[in-house]
Amino acid sequence: MVFLIAFFSFLFGLVIGSFLNVLIYRLPKNISLIKPGSHCPTCGMPIKFYDNIPIVSYLILKGKCRNCGTRISPIYPLVEGISGFLFLIFYLKFRFPVGLKYMLLTSLLIPISFIDAKEKLIPDVLTIPWIGIGLLLTILLKDLPALQVLITTLVSGFLFWVLRFIFSRILKREALGEGDIILIMLISSYTGLWGAYLAMLLGSLTALLVHFLFPEKIKGEIPFGPFLSFGAIIGALTL
């Protein structure tokens, strides 16, 4: 039974990943998530259901649109694959219903990471409303000390605000975006003190490492969302 549920958790993650691709593409452009339906951004032709199967359709079509032959970004199967893998891992670690909380967090962090990496933007719709839901789920599931999680959420947001103020004055430019402050609060509301700590620590270390390894490719402001999200996932997996 565990194997069967794990398998369906992976499939469910793939399907959610397909929807996350819609969020990643449409949210920054302020396009409706419902209309129009899935279509090729180049030729505009609707994508048939059999060409919209996560990962499988991409492989069958060899990464190209069936109608116009335009190459499809490998980000699409990557997002689906990451979602499926993390859904599987979180089920195996926490089982249900607690695993669903971390699947929800995954479904928020993935589009946040990809949108921030490309647009240097973290949409409020993916953070602010879900902080309260994270706190509510923590209270209902009792998987973490609720009071500690609440305090951590508030303190982490305040700490990032202070850091933003200090480093912005030192660097004479914006050091952290408001979206990063809200993101660390989101992470804290789901993962508590340990997850927030690893998000800050690993996020900072990996951001510095990437900046050191690719100084020419990373110019100006570094999108911090993907690094915080990476730390948060590690934190959740080590709870």
Side-chain angles (χ1 to χ4, degrees):
M1 180 60 72
V2 170
F3 174 80
L4 184 61
I5 298 177
F7 176 70
F8 279 107
S9 296
F10 175 72
L11 292 182
F12 181 54
L14 293 181
V15 173
I16 293 298
S18 183
F19 175 69
L20 298 184
N21 277 317
V22 176
L23 295 181
I24 293 168
Y25 178 77
R26 298 194 182 195
L27 276 183
K29 299 178 183 295
N30 292 317
I31 301 175
S32 170
L33 301 180
I34 302 174
K35 294 181 179 180
S38 297
H39 62 281
C40 173
T42 301
C43 66
M45 287 295 292
I47 298 176
K48 304 295 185 182
F49 74 91
Y50 48 77
D51 285 337
N52 213 15
I53 302 173
I55 297 181
V56 175
S57 294
Y58 184 88
L59 295 175
I60 292 176
L61 295 173
K62 298 180 181 179
K64 296 180 180 180
C65 171
R66 183 185 293 274
N67 183 64
C68 67
T70 299
R71 183 161 295 280
I72 301 171
S73 171
I75 288 178
Y76 288 95
L78 177 63
V79 167
E80 293 164 352
I82 292 174
S83 301
F85 174 74
L86 289 178
F87 272 46
L88 170 62
I89 295 301
F90 280 127
Y91 166 72
L92 293 176
K93 178 170 178 59
F94 295 106
R95 299 294 194 269
F96 293 144
V98 176
L100 290 173
K101 183 177 96 166
Y102 295 100
M103 291 178 186
L104 174 58
L105 178 62
T106 296
S107 301
L108 297 169
L109 294 181
I110 290 176
I112 285 172
S113 298
F114 280 89
I115 291 173
D116 194 28
K118 183 178 180 181
E119 309 288 343
K120 293 184 180 178
L121 166 73
I122 299 179
D124 288 341
V125 70
L126 294 178
T127 53
I128 294 176
W130 302 97
I131 294 174
I133 293 176
L135 292 171
L136 179 61
L137 289 175
T138 298
I139 293 172
L140 294 176
L141 296 173
K142 300 179 181 179
D143 59 314
L144 294 171
L147 182 59
Q148 181 195 88
V149 172
L150 175 60
I151 294 174
T152 300
T153 300
L154 296 175
V155 171
S156 63
F158 177 72
L159 177 61
F160 259 45
W161 183 84
V162 172
L163 291 174
R164 178 194 184 199
F165 179 81
I166 294 173
F167 283 104
S168 294
R169 291 297 182 273
I170 294 174
L171 299 174
K172 296 182 179 180
R173 62 179 176 83
E174 188 175 279
L176 285 170
E178 292 182 2
D180 297 320
I181 298 174
I182 301 173
L183 175 57
I184 194 62
M185 294 180 69
L186 173 74
I187 292 168
S188 302
S189 70
Y190 284 79
T191 64
L193 180 60
W194 177 246
Y197 168 72
L198 279 190
M200 295 182 203
L201 177 63
L202 296 181
S204 299
L205 291 177
T206 51
L208 288 173
L209 178 61
V210 170
H211 183 67
F212 177 76
L213 293 176
F214 308 101
E216 296 300 322
K217 292 185 178 181
I218 299 180
K219 299 178 181 179
E221 182 183 346
I222 300 177
F224 202 28
F227 303 106
L228 283 176
S229 298
F230 168 73
I233 293 296
I234 300 300
L237 290 174
T238 54
L239 285 172

